[in-house]
């Protein structure tokens, strides 16, 4: 099937071009008024089109809808219009039409004749455009298509083929002649040279066939062709001719100049006129079967039925018109509709003026209309086909005749049947139980009631907000807290277990009858809407109207707290709120504020899945569905969308691996930056209900680490580091050995010096002790004896005191002599020397010292002297600084090791703040001289030393 729409003249000035079009096309000033029977959605400049002048609408093999305008082309997925112009590669901004070849390339037929095509989301121009434009000059291009890499075109003067090497082969068209070629691939080439009203024959595949045109004053330069099965259709002026291979005959004469010819998926032909709308013709006899009133005065350049069954109408004056159902009947009312009610046969509508209209449900025919006191507040059809109408009072009307049978005082806002003979009504503070005859029992309550449902001996009522639940005797059972602040719009029986409640702002709820447990469904709880205006159960579906359109949900899944849309009819009612509706086997009655929409039921409407597509923006040059590999600083960016012209209420989420959480996004783009190096799989899912998700994309990708973090760089670095380490190690070992040798010499020298110093110190100690003992001590003893003799003669107390001081001085000198050269150290060894020293300390100081010596006797006099001096220094420090009263000393001597374990119970000292003093320095220097080690611990409970020394001097 191929159809062509041509704008015969073009000027850069839009006004001049419009005047030219209206001059060429037949202009009718007479308009006709038709009753509107189809709802159309208009897409024009305000909806994103670059121009209201649209020459063709086309659907490609991917599912996208394309619009050809005088300001570029538009690619439409139902959600977003993407405009492509000369900046994107178009050879001409004025595009008259499209054709698609076997390679799924989309070709653009332009005003200038320059050729370009769309492939893999980019527009390309052919090499020979300049040569082709010189050949075409200013003649109209009627057709353009590509087949087997050859480009075929037709103009006013010739038909031509462009070979892949650029060679152009053309065939001239005679004056006032229509030429038609049926080419390989069953494509059509046709052109008209001269005045259309003067054409008397048609050249079809080099054979001439006579034609007789309908008399007309107009000259229509537009020719349309259509290849359909075993016949070919061609238009001239207002006539359609059919060619069956051997015979050319006129099959239809239109009411004006024909500028488009199309065929839909249901087999109907569509004829578009200049300024006179469109006709639908039957395939069998070319009789008119449909006229669309709203298009009456428009120039229809193309009619397209897409793969979902929607219809698109392109116009020269007002952009695009769209409908998903041609058979929709729309009844417009002047006053605002206040209420609607339905049963199996009737639809009853009440408006603000109090006018009640009753229609046959199967045909939409108006049966009767009655003017009552305004406004209409509620309507209800009871079990006996009586209509209860509440205005300022309540009337009972015979539904068949429209006759009022009874009037009742009081106004009611809602009714509900109890049985075949009884019903309940609420209004204001009144809760009333009626017989169907109209007699009643009044029950006055203390709260306002607006809605009511009687179900299984329970009354469910609502006020301005909240709900109250009563038993059949109007005893209050419960006031659900969950619904306390909700404005309730509809209450219906869900099934034997549940009641369903719709609200404004808080979604809908299921109330379990036996426990009154409530399950809520809101926009924050996996539902897509918060405003629910009306509810109805039809077979296995729950229907509801909401701010997101008319929805149908699975009853079975909803009962198990799962939402699954069976239908989502959102495009049927753009910007309209459906306040009431009724679903039958054959139609949907949808009532808005000012109109009634009767939509034939097509069970496939809204059920088809949207077509997913994506375009990888970064990185460039990666083939689709192939594994992507990027550097760690690179970005993955993809734009995606869904082709659907019924429903674009689509929710999406993605994650880059199974370890990651899902990220929901309202954007139609994913941008991944600074992703940690590793292996990933970008997964994208979509849902129509936020409950059931379908995977649309699985895109594996790898983020490479930086070059310094790759395995080969790590390996090379490790080897290099190892080599350097080996070299450094060898150098350090050599230096260490050299240093150790040097330090050994120094250490040996220091030891020798220290030993010499210690030996000198010991010799000096011995000399001083000997001098003290042999000199001063003897002199003091002599002085003491003399003092004693003097004191005994004169009996002088001062002399006795002098004797006492001298004795004390002699004792102190003995202590000094003992400390300098402990007696028995050389003769009896270290242990005996220490025992004697400790005994002397205990006599002169209030401290208990426990000393134990185990093991061999130290034979080396130098080491023994060192150990004695170390222990002597420890005892001195404890007595002078720790204020202890107990000291414990363990001396363990083996053949290789001397171990000194020293403890006191003094006040201790802070190890982190040790002041340098003579005592600790002497101890450390003596231990270092013997190549020993000290372990020191001190706290408030005392001080501990562990000193280990080699038995033999190093």
């Amino acid at each position: 099937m191929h159809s062509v729409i041509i704008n015969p003249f073009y000027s850069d000035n839009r006004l001049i071009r419009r005047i030219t079009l209206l001059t060429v096309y037949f202009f009718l000033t007479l308009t006709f008024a038709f009753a509107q029977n189809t709802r159309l959605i208009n897409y024009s400049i305000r909806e994103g089109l670059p121009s209201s002048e649209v020459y063709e609408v086309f659907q490609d093999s991917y599912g996208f809808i394309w619009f050809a305008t005088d300001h570029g082309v538009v690619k439409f997925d139902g959600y977003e219009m993407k405009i492509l112009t000369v900046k994107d590669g178009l050879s001409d901004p004025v595009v008259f039409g499209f054709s698609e070849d076997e390679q799924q390339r989309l070709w653009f037929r332009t005003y200038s004749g320059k050729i370009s095509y769309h492939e893999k989301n980019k527009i390309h121009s052919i090499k020979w455009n300049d040569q082709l434009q010189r050949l075409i000059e200013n003649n109209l291009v009627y057709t353009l298509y590509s087949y087997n890499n050859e480009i075929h075109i037709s103009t006013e003067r010739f038909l031509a083929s462009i070979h892949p090497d650029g060679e152009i082969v053309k065939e001239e068209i005679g004056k006032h002649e229509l030429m038609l070629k049926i080419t390989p691939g069953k494509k059509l080439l046709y052109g008209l040279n001269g005045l259309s009203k003067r054409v008397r024959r048609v050249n079809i595949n080099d054979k001439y066939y006579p034609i007789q045109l309908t008399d007309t004053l107009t000259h229509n330069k537009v020719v349309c062709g259509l290849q359909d099965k075993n016949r070919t259709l061609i238009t001239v002026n207002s006539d359609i001719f059919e060619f069956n291979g051997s015979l050319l005959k006129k099959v239809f004469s239109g009411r004006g100049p024909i500028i488009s010819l199309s065929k839909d998926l249901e087999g109907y032909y569509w004829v578009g006129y200049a300024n006179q709308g469109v006709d639908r013709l039957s395939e069998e006899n070319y009789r008119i079967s449909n006229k669309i009133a709203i298009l009456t005065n428009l120039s229809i350049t193309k009619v397209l039925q897409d793969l979902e069954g929607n219809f698109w109408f392109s116009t020269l004056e007002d952009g695009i018109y769209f409908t998903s159902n041609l058979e929709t009947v729309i009844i417009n009312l002047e006053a605002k509709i206040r209420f609607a009610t339905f049963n199996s046969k009737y639809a009853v509508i009440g408006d603000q003026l109090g006018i009640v209209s009753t229609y046959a449900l199967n045909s939409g025919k108006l049966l009767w209309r009655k003017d009552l006191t305004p406004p209409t507040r509620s309507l209800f059809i009871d079990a006996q086909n009586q209509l209860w109408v509440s205005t300022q009072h309540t009337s009972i009307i015979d539904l068949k005749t429209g006759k009022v049978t009874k009037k009742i005082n009081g106004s009611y806002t809602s009714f509900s049947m109890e049985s075949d003979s009884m019903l309940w009504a609420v209004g204001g503070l009144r809760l009333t139980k009626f017989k169907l005859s109209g007699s009643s029992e009044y029950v006055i309550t203390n709260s306002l009631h607006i809605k009511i449902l009687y179900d299984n001996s329970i009354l469910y009522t609502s006020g301005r907000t909240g709900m109250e639940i009563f038993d059949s005797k109007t005893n209050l059972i419960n006031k659900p807290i969950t619904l306390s602040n909700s404005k309730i719009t509809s209450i219906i029986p869900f099934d034997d277990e549940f009641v369903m409640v719709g609200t404004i702002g808080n979604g809908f709820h299921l109330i379990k009858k036996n426990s009154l447990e409530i399950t809520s469904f809101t926009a924050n709880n996996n539902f897509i809407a918060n405003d629910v205006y009306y509810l109805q159960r039809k077979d296995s579906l729950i229907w509801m109207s909401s701010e997101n359109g008319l929805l149908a949900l699975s009853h079975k899944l909803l009962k198990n707290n799962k939402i699954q849309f069976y239908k989502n009819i959102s495009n049927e009612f753009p910007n309209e709120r459906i306040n009431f509706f009724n679903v039958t086997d054959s139609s949907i009655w949808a009532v808005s504020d000012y109109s009634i929409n009767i939509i034939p039921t097509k069970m496939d409407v809204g059920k088809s899945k949207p077509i997913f597509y994506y375009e990888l923006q970064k990185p460039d040059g990666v083939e689709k569905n192939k594994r992507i590999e990027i550097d760690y600083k690179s970005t993955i960016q993809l734009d995606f969308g869904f082709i659907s012209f019924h429903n674009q209420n689509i929710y999406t989420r993605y994650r880059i691996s199974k370890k990651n959480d899902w990220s929901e996004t309202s954007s139609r783009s994913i941008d991944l930056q600074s992703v940690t190096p590793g292996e990933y799989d970008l997964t994208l899912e979509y849902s129509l209900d936020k409950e059931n998700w379908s995977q649309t994309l699985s895109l594996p990708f790898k983020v490479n680490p930086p070059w310094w973090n790759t395995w080969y760089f790590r390996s090379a670095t490790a080897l290099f580091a190892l080599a350097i380490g080996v070299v450094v190690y060898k150098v350090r070992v050599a230096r260490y050995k050299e240093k150790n040798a040097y330090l050994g010499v120094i250490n040996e020298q220091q030891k020798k010096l220290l030993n010499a110093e210690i030996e000198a110190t010991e010799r000096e100690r011995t000399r001083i002790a000997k001098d003290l003992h042999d000199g001063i001590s003897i002199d003091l003893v002599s002085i003491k004896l003399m003092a004693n003799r003097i004191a005994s003669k004169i009996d002088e107390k001062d002399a006795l005191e002098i004797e006492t001081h001298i004795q004390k001085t002699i004792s102190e000198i003995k202590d000094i002599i003992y400390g300098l050269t402990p007696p028995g150290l050389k003769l009896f060894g270290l242990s005996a020397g220490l025992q004697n020293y400790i005994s002397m300390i205990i006599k002169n100081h209030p401290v208990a010292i426990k000393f134990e010596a185990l093991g061999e006797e130290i034979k080396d006099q130098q080491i023994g002297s060192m150990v004695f001096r170390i222990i002597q220094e420890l005892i001195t420090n404890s007595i002078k600084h720790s204020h202890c009263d107990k000291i414990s000393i363990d001396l363990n001597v083996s053949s290789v090791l001397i171990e000194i374990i020293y403890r006191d119970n003094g006040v201790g000292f802070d190890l982190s703040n040790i002041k340098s003093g003579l005592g600790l320095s002497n101890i450390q220097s003596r231990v270092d001289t013997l190549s020993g080690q000290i372990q020191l611990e001190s706290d408030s409970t005392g001080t501990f030393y562990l000193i280990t020394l080699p038995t033999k001097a190093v």
Side-chain angles (χ1 to χ4, degrees):
M1 181 177 69
H2 182 72
S3 60
V4 179
I5 298 114
I6 295 184
N7 189 342
F9 295 102
Y10 174 78
S11 169
D12 289 335
N13 188 298
R14 184 184 179 89
L15 178 60
I16 295 175
R17 186 167 68 257
R18 172 62 63 185
I19 294 172
T20 304
L21 275 170
L22 295 179
T23 302
V24 175
Y25 291 147
F26 181 73
F27 181 79
L28 296 178
T29 58
L30 181 62
T31 60
F32 300 91
F34 293 98
Q36 181 179 343
N37 66 343
T38 301
R39 173 178 293 278
L40 295 173
I41 300 171
N42 181 229
Y43 295 101
S44 191
I45 294 176
R46 58 186 174 275
E47 284 78 33
L49 281 180
S51 170
S52 293
E53 195 169 320
V54 182
Y55 303 114
E56 185 173 1
V57 56
F58 181 85
Q59 185 171 32
D60 65 22
S61 57
Y62 298 101
F64 291 100
I65 298 293
W66 292 79
F67 308 135
T69 79
D70 60 343
H71 280 70
V73 296
V74 177
K75 184 180 180 183
F76 188 42
D77 62 1
Y79 176 79
E80 180 183 20
M81 292 186 183
K82 184 177 182 180
I83 301 173
L84 303 173
T85 64
V86 291
K87 294 180 179 179
D88 302 292
L90 271 180
S91 58
D92 192 310
V94 183
V95 178
F96 286 157
F98 309 95
S99 63
E100 191 172 25
D101 63 18
E102 68 276 8
Q103 300 177 40
Q104 297 180 319
R105 294 178 297 184
L106 189 64
W107 295 80
F108 306 110
R109 178 169 53 87
T110 67
Y111 163 76
S112 66
K114 288 186 176 181
I115 297 174
S116 55
Y117 62 92
H118 182 269
E119 183 180 29
K120 295 182 178 179
N121 298 315
K122 292 184 180 179
I123 297 178
H124 312 270
S125 295
I126 65 171
K127 300 177 182 179
W128 308 283
N129 268 332
D130 292 338
Q131 177 186 353
L132 185 62
Q133 189 177 22
R134 288 193 297 270
L135 182 67
I136 294 174
E137 295 179 340
N138 292 321
N139 291 278
L140 290 175
V141 177
Y142 283 98
T143 59
L144 164 67
Y145 72 90
S146 171
Y147 184 74
N148 282 342
N149 290 322
E150 286 190 354
I151 301 172
H152 302 272
I153 63 171
S154 66
T155 71
E156 296 175 72
R157 294 188 295 105
F158 62 85
L159 311 183
S161 297
I162 305 173
H163 295 276
D165 59 1
E167 180 187 2
I168 300 176
V169 178
K170 67 176 185 176
E171 183 178 355
E172 299 288 343
I173 301 175
K175 192 67 173 176
H176 304 304
E177 179 182 303
L178 174 63
M179 178 179 287
L180 174 64
K181 290 283 187 180
I182 305 173
T183 64
K186 293 187 177 181
K187 301 288 186 178
L188 297 183
L189 283 175
Y190 47 82
L192 173 62
N193 185 4
L195 298 175
S196 60
K197 62 182 180 180
R198 295 182 60 181
V199 173
R200 296 294 179 264
R201 64 178 186 174
V202 180
N203 181 349
I204 303 177
N205 292 340
D206 298 326
K207 290 185 179 181
Y208 288 94
Y209 299 87
I211 61 171
Q212 182 67 42
L213 296 177
T214 301
D215 289 335
T216 177
L217 298 176
T218 61
H219 163 54
N220 178 17
K221 206 170 184 179
V222 176
V223 177
C224 304
L226 183 70
Q227 183 68 32
D228 182 28
K229 299 177 183 177
N230 58 351
R231 56 184 165 183
T232 303
L233 303 181
I234 192 78
T235 70
V236 184
N237 258 358
S238 59
D239 296 329
I240 299 178
F241 294 88
E242 176 188 288
F243 179 67
N244 62 7
S246 59
L247 178 65
L248 181 68
K249 64 178 181 178
K250 184 192 298 184
V251 293
F252 178 77
S253 292
R255 60 179 182 270
I258 298 174
I259 60 172
S260 67
L261 181 63
S262 316
K263 188 176 183 181
D264 64 27
L265 302 178
E266 299 172 12
Y268 291 98
Y269 297 118
W270 290 85
V271 180
Y273 301 100
N275 305 300
Q276 296 187 63
V278 66
D279 286 334
R280 184 175 72 172
L281 310 181
S282 64
E283 184 179 18
E284 295 79 13
N285 52 23
Y286 300 98
R287 289 186 179 179
I288 297 175
S289 62
N290 191 296
K291 292 181 180 180
I292 301 176
I294 196 173
L295 303 177
T296 298
N297 297 319
L298 298 176
S299 301
I300 308 302
T301 55
K302 182 65 180 292
V303 179
L304 169 72
Q305 185 179 22
D306 65 30
L307 298 177
E308 289 183 337
N310 309 297
F311 283 89
W312 304 79
F313 303 87
S314 57
T315 74
L316 288 175
E317 298 86 2
D318 199 18
I320 297 290
Y321 284 84
F322 167 88
T323 181
S324 61
N325 200 322
L326 285 173
E327 308 303 325
T328 298
V329 175
I330 302 173
I331 303 171
N332 292 314
L333 301 183
E334 294 182 1
K336 185 176 181 179
I337 298 172
R338 292 293 302 271
F339 216 92
T341 189
F342 307 88
N343 69 358
S344 60
K345 295 182 179 180
Y346 301 101
V348 185
I349 310 296
D351 64 23
Q352 181 71 30
L353 300 178
I355 298 174
V356 177
S357 305
T358 300
Y359 300 86
L361 196 65
N362 58 352
S363 65
K365 179 182 178 182
L366 177 64
L367 301 177
W368 56 262
R369 179 171 292 166
K370 185 168 289 294
D371 192 354
L372 301 174
T373 306
T376 305
R377 291 179 177 171
S378 65
L379 301 169
F380 184 76
I381 302 173
D382 65 23
Q384 296 180 6
N385 267 341
Q386 293 183 130
L387 176 65
W388 295 63
V389 181
S390 182
T391 56
Q392 293 182 5
H393 56 269
T394 300
S395 302
I396 302 177
I397 301 175
D398 186 305
L399 197 54
K400 292 182 180 179
T401 63
K403 181 180 179 180
V404 176
T405 60
K406 187 169 184 176
K407 289 188 177 181
I408 303 171
N409 290 329
S411 179
Y412 295 90
T413 57
S414 183
F415 299 86
S416 183
M417 292 295 300
E418 177 180 323
S419 64
D420 291 342
S421 59
M422 302 294 292
L423 63 79
W424 289 83
V426 292
L429 300 178
R430 186 182 297 117
L431 177 61
T432 308
K433 184 175 181 180
F434 285 100
K435 294 181 179 179
L436 297 192
S437 61
S439 60
S440 62
E441 301 175 5
Y442 291 91
V443 178
I444 305 299
T445 64
N446 293 323
S447 56
L448 178 68
H449 301 283
I450 298 176
K451 299 288 182 183
I452 186 171
L453 170 68
Y454 180 90
D455 185 65
N456 196 23
S457 299
I458 301 295
L459 285 166
Y460 302 86
T461 70
S462 68
R464 288 191 176 92
T465 59
M467 171 176 278
E468 294 181 334
I469 302 174
F470 301 88
D471 61 18
S472 58
K473 295 182 180 180
T474 67
N475 296 313
L476 181 64
I477 299 174
N478 197 297
K479 292 177 70 173
I481 297 176
T482 304
L483 302 175
S484 59
N485 295 319
S486 298
K487 182 179 180 181
I488 295 174
T489 56
S490 187
I491 312 172
I492 66 168
F494 185 78
D495 57 15
D496 293 338
E497 295 182 61
F498 294 92
V499 168
M500 191 172 190
V501 178
T503 73
I504 295 293
N506 199 23
F508 69 92
H509 311 265
L510 294 181
I511 303 177
K512 200 164 188 177
K513 296 178 183 179
N514 57 3
S515 64
L516 299 181
E517 179 184 350
I518 297 178
T519 304
S520 302
F521 298 85
T522 69
N524 297 324
N525 184 26
N526 292 331
F527 189 50
I528 67 171
N530 274 327
D531 294 341
V532 175
Y533 310 124
Y534 198 72
L535 297 167
Q536 181 188 0
R537 178 174 176 182
K538 171 66 176 173
D539 300 327
S540 62
L541 299 178
I542 296 294
W543 289 79
M544 65 180 65
S545 58
S546 73
E547 75 265 29
N548 284 327
L550 189 60
L551 315 174
L553 284 71
S554 167
H555 172 273
K556 181 178 179 181
L557 293 176
L558 194 58
K559 187 174 181 179
N560 294 319
N561 297 333
K562 293 182 179 180
I563 293 176
Q564 181 175 356
F565 289 134
Y566 183 80
K567 293 185 180 181
N568 188 329
I569 306 176
S570 55
N571 277 349
E572 291 286 351
F573 318 105
N575 303 319
E576 286 194 63
R577 167 175 160 170
I578 304 304
N579 300 310
F580 308 93
F581 64 86
N582 184 62
V583 181
T584 71
D585 293 336
S586 59
S587 64
I588 299 174
W589 286 63
V591 181
S592 61
D593 284 344
Y594 290 95
S595 66
I596 306 165
N597 306 270
I598 308 173
I599 309 163
T601 303
K602 292 184 178 180
M603 300 312 288
D604 58 337
V605 171
K607 191 178 179 181
S608 58
K609 292 183 178 180
I611 301 172
F612 172 77
Y613 69 92
Y614 75 95
E615 297 176 10
L616 192 63
Q617 303 295 341
K618 295 179 181 179
D620 295 329
V622 178
E623 189 177 347
K624 277 192 173 183
N625 300 318
K626 296 295 184 180
R627 184 174 178 270
I628 299 172
E629 191 167 331
I630 61 173
D631 294 331
Y632 78 104
K633 285 187 177 180
S634 300
T635 298
I636 292 181
Q637 180 184 340
L638 60 88
D639 298 333
F640 65 90
F642 298 87
I643 303 173
S644 176
F645 307 105
H646 283 301
N647 177 32
Q648 279 288 346
N649 291 319
I650 300 172
Y651 304 92
T652 55
R653 66 183 187 183
Y654 70 92
R655 64 184 181 186
I656 60 174
S657 73
K658 292 182 179 180
K659 297 179 181 179
N660 294 85
D661 295 330
W662 289 104
S663 298
E664 292 193 20
T665 176
S666 57
S667 171
R668 296 293 174 95
S669 178
I670 296 176
D671 193 356
L672 302 177
Q673 299 180 1
S674 302
V675 180
T676 304
E679 297 279 352
Y680 299 94
D681 187 359
L682 175 62
T683 303
L684 179 69
E685 294 185 347
Y686 81 94
S687 173
L688 301 177
D689 52 23
K690 296 184 77 174
E691 178 72 21
N692 302 280
W693 295 87
S694 300
Q695 181 175 316
T696 61
L697 175 68
S698 178
L699 188 64
F701 69 94
K702 179 183 179 181
V703 179
N704 291 322
W707 59 269
W708 61 85
N709 202 22
T710 56
W711 67 268
Y712 46 85
F713 181 79
R714 287 181 179 179
S715 300
T717 303
L719 291 174
F720 182 71
L722 180 61
I724 292 177
V726 170
V727 173
V728 170
Y729 175 76
K730 288 183 177 180
V731 171
R732 285 188 175 181
V733 167
R735 288 182 178 178
Y736 180 77
K737 289 180 178 179
E738 182 180 352
K739 182 179 179 180
N740 278 349
Y742 178 72
L743 290 176
V745 173
I746 294 175
N747 190 38
E748 187 64 28
Q749 189 63 30
Q750 286 179 340
K751 286 184 178 181
K752 288 180 180 179
L753 291 174
L754 188 57
N755 287 333
E757 181 181 351
I758 292 173
E759 288 177 359
T761 300
E762 289 297 327
R763 284 196 301 271
E764 188 64 19
R765 284 172 178 268
T766 302
R767 184 188 66 77
I768 292 172
K770 187 174 183 299
D771 290 345
L772 287 174
H773 182 272
D774 295 342
I776 297 175
S777 294
I778 293 173
D779 292 342
L780 285 175
V781 170
S782 298
I783 292 170
K784 177 191 174 190
L785 292 173
M786 290 174 65
N788 189 15
R789 282 195 301 269
I790 293 170
S792 62
K793 288 179 179 182
I794 63 175
D795 193 20
E796 181 62 43
K797 293 181 179 181
D798 289 339
L800 294 174
E801 187 175 348
I802 291 172
E803 182 185 7
T804 301
H805 283 296
I806 293 172
Q807 183 60 44
K808 183 178 179 182
T809 301
I810 293 171
S811 297
E812 289 177 355
I813 290 175
K814 286 182 177 181
D815 289 343
I816 292 172
I817 295 171
Y818 196 92
L820 289 172
T821 55
L825 183 63
K826 291 181 179 180
L827 296 175
F828 305 108
L830 176 62
S831 297
L834 284 172
Q835 286 285 8
N836 293 333
Y837 176 72
I838 291 171
S839 298
M840 185 270 295
I841 292 296
I842 293 172
K843 289 179 182 179
N844 297 322
H845 296 89
V847 60
I849 301 176
K850 178 185 177 183
F851 173 72
E852 288 188 8
L854 298 175
E856 302 175 3
E857 184 63 48
I858 297 175
K859 298 178 180 180
D860 191 315
Q861 184 177 352
Q862 182 182 3
I863 294 176
S865 177
M866 287 283 194
V867 172
F868 179 87
R869 296 301 179 193
I870 289 171
I871 294 175
Q872 183 184 32
E873 195 69 52
L874 291 175
I875 294 172
T876 301
N877 286 343
S878 294
I879 292 173
K880 291 175 64 176
H881 303 295
S882 71
H883 309 294
C884 65
D885 59 5
K886 291 181 181 180
I887 296 174
S888 171
I889 305 171
D890 293 309
L891 178 63
N892 302 318
V893 181
S894 67
S895 60
V896 294
L897 191 68
I898 300 170
E899 183 180 65
I900 304 170
I901 302 174
Y902 181 92
R903 296 182 182 87
D904 69 32
N905 64 346
V907 297
F909 54 89
D910 186 0
L911 293 176
S912 63
N913 190 25
I914 298 176
K915 295 180 180 179
S916 60
L918 185 60
L920 288 178
S921 298
N922 286 338
I923 296 170
Q924 186 67 53
S925 63
R926 294 179 187 278
V927 171
D928 291 341
T929 300
L930 298 176
S931 300
Q933 292 182 346
I934 299 178
Q935 181 180 344
L936 170 61
E937 295 179 8
S938 182
D939 55 25
S940 60
T941 62
T943 303
F944 168 83
Y945 289 88
L946 174 61
I947 301 173
T948 56
L949 305 168
T951 303
K952 296 180 179 180
V954 179

